[in-house]
Amino acid sequence: MATMVTGQREQIESKVQQGLRLSSEEGLALYQEPDLEWVGSLANLVRERRYGKRTTYIVNMHLNYSNLCTLSCMFCAFARKRDQPGGYEMSLQEMLERVSILKDAREPEIHIVGGLHPDYPYEYYPKLLALLRQTYPTAHLKAFTAVEIDYFALLAGRSVDWVLQDLREHGLGSLPGGGAEVLTDRIHQKLYRDKMGPDRWLEIHGIAHRLGIRTSATMLYGHIETDEERVEHLVKLRQLQDQHAGFLAYIPLRFHPDNTPLKKLPLRSGDEVVRQVALGRLMLDNFDHVKAYWIMSGLENARRAQFFGADDFDGTVVDERITHMAGCDTPVGMTEESLQQMIRESGRDPVRRNGLYEILN
Ligand code: SF4
């Protein structure tokens, strides 16, 4: 790893203490700084200045309605073609039964994503939202990545504006942050060239923000991306956030290579997990929340991430499929009590929130 140029460490520290924005060069230096604990301490400073010891969490579940997909992204272990073993479609009834686990929960979140289904018509998606909203009126429906929204616009023969407004009328609460991968043309060309690229992902999130629909942002790291590309990704998110302030949170996602064409790549270390969280906190000065997503980072790393900038611990989750099909060995869900206990045992105060990060207790 490169060492910082003379005076750069002091300058970064001074800027963080004053709440000033870090440059791309400074972000790159932090990615390559050998003293990880120092990087973490800066991120923790920013985090504790805003939130003290508080760590928020949510009672949520994932609903991956189908893994049939018209595309074949290189990092995906989830998608199947119709004639492949392991493909599935959940019926509406089955989804209602799964979601019934949340029936007594106050303002839970249902996180709904799937493949780009080869046969479902556009009307399937608003119908699904409406059914869930009708059955669980207090649930926040965080549904459909920008990639799915783009596909729905194609299916409906309408604009993204129209699709988002139609879905909102049927119950859409916010958009998840998936599909961003790494927002550079090189990664797009190498790993998912048939799927929409970085500009379109940013455009769709910008449209949602303009319509008042909040969204999240992710980065799928730990495959072939460089530190420079990670910085480019963060700066692009920061620029969009400057325009509309529509992002609720940033969630770095550790890539799980098993069962993908990239399976020879190693799973990135815990140190790398917490550095990604810290860089998100330090570079994204206009984002309120940085999330430790334990499903992909591992429980122990998520616990540690609360001292590297993460102020949110996601979540009870329940029945996540996408990462587990890529060999992830974390549990598929957790009770609210064990989540609270884990946060408390790591020295933070658990506070429950809803899908818009409003505090519930
Ligand atoms: S990442 Fe999404 S779009 Fe790509 S193959 Fe997997 S499910 Fe399909």
Side-chain angles (χ1 to χ4, degrees):
M1 281 192 179
T3 49
M4 293 204 185
V5 296
T6 311
Q8 195 175 27
R9 190 172 159 121
E10 292 71 22
Q11 183 172 332
I12 290 175
E13 202 162 301
S14 161
K15 283 174 89 170
V16 170
Q17 278 161 357
Q18 294 176 70
L20 299 175
R21 177 164 284 189
L22 299 178
S23 66
S24 296
E25 293 70 32
E26 288 162 339
L28 187 59
L30 287 168
Y31 264 121
Q32 299 182 343
E33 165 59 43
D35 186 355
L36 176 61
E37 293 306 316
W38 174 71
V39 176
S41 71
L42 294 181
N44 193 45
L45 177 79
V46 179
R47 181 237 194 264
E48 292 197 351
R49 194 158 58 200
R50 291 186 81 158
Y51 301 109
K53 286 178 69 185
R54 178 187 107 179
T55 292
T56 49
Y57 70 91
I58 188 157
V59 172
N60 61 348
M61 81 169 292
H62 284 221
L63 202 54
N64 303 129
Y65 53 89
S66 171
N67 65 347
L68 298 186
C69 185
T70 57
L71 298 185
S72 305
C73 305
M74 293 275 282
F75 42 71
C76 184
F78 172 68
R80 296 285 186 281
K81 303 296 176 212
R82 257 219 195 281
D83 53 1
Q84 274 184 309
Y88 72 86
E89 290 163 327
M90 285 186 202
S91 68
L92 293 175
Q93 186 56 35
E94 187 184 348
M95 283 190 265
L96 284 181
E97 278 161 25
R98 281 173 187 269
V99 171
S100 67
I101 197 171
L102 297 173
K103 70 180 185 313
D104 297 323
R106 192 158 54 107
E107 295 193 49
E109 177 184 274
I110 307 174
H111 183 136
I112 308 160
V113 293
L116 306 184
H117 195 282
D119 306 316
Y120 289 169
Y122 168 72
E123 290 71 25
Y124 172 86
Y125 302 98
K127 184 175 165 193
L128 170 60
L129 292 180
L131 187 66
L132 290 169
R133 182 167 70 170
Q134 190 186 6
T135 315
Y136 301 102
T138 69
H140 178 89
L141 305 182
K142 179 182 183 180
F144 310 131
T145 64
V147 181
E148 289 163 285
I149 298 293
D150 190 45
Y151 185 57
F152 298 168
L154 189 73
L155 292 178
R158 302 279 197 150
S159 67
V160 165
D161 268 75
W162 184 91
V163 167
L164 286 170
Q165 293 187 72
D166 187 53
L167 294 176
R168 177 164 59 183
E169 278 169 26
H170 288 85
L172 178 75
S174 64
L175 297 191
E181 323 313 358
V182 178
L183 294 167
T184 71
D185 293 332
R186 187 186 77 94
I187 299 290
H188 178 223
Q189 284 306 310
K190 289 244 175 217
L191 297 188
Y192 60 104
R193 75 171 62 162
D194 294 332
K195 187 160 85 174
M196 70 180 206
D199 292 346
R200 184 70 168 155
W201 189 93
L202 290 163
E203 182 189 352
I204 290 174
H205 280 260
I207 294 169
H209 297 171
R210 192 169 41 71
L211 293 171
I213 298 171
R214 307 298 300 273
T215 74
S216 295
T218 60
M219 172 166 61
L220 183 73
Y221 66 86
H223 38 86
I224 60 164
E225 82 285 2
T226 63
D227 286 339
E228 286 81 357
E229 287 171 325
R230 293 167 172 180
V231 171
E232 184 179 337
H233 179 100
L234 292 172
V235 169
K236 284 178 178 170
L237 295 180
R238 189 166 75 180
Q239 284 168 346
L240 183 56
Q241 184 74 332
D242 276 342
Q243 289 177 38
H244 309 286
F247 287 121
L248 287 162
Y250 170 64
I251 310 117
L253 303 175
R254 176 167 66 164
F255 172 59
H256 284 255
D258 286 0
N259 305 323
T260 77
L262 303 174
K263 58 178 177 276
K264 291 211 172 101
L265 293 176
L267 181 68
R268 298 305 171 100
S269 68
D271 279 359
E272 192 150 342
V273 168
V274 295
R275 189 186 292 269
Q276 295 294 343
V277 170
L279 261 290
R281 175 58 76 191
L282 290 166
M283 289 298 288
L284 299 176
D285 57 344
N286 50 6
F287 275 60
D288 286 337
H289 303 289
V290 177
K291 185 182 289 193
Y293 182 48
W294 63 267
I295 289 275
M296 285 177 95
S297 68
L299 279 168
E300 189 48 45
N301 296 327
R303 223 197 305 236
R304 194 173 161 212
Q306 293 172 90
F307 295 85
F308 280 74
D311 66 289
D312 189 74
F313 201 101
D314 187 344
T316 54
V317 183
V318 185
D319 206 21
E320 196 280 342
R321 292 186 179 213
I322 294 175
T323 317
H324 286 88
M325 289 178 79
C328 169
D329 60 2
T330 50
V332 291
M334 210 192 296
T335 64
E336 183 176 4
E337 292 69 32
S338 45
L339 191 63
Q340 288 175 337
Q341 189 182 344
M342 179 159 300
I343 293 171
R344 221 174 266 121
E345 281 173 2
S346 32
R348 297 299 196 195
D349 297 332
V351 176
R352 185 163 158 194
R353 66 167 174 87
N354 67 13
L356 294 173
Y357 289 77
E358 294 159 346
I359 301 303
L360 293 182
N361 60 355

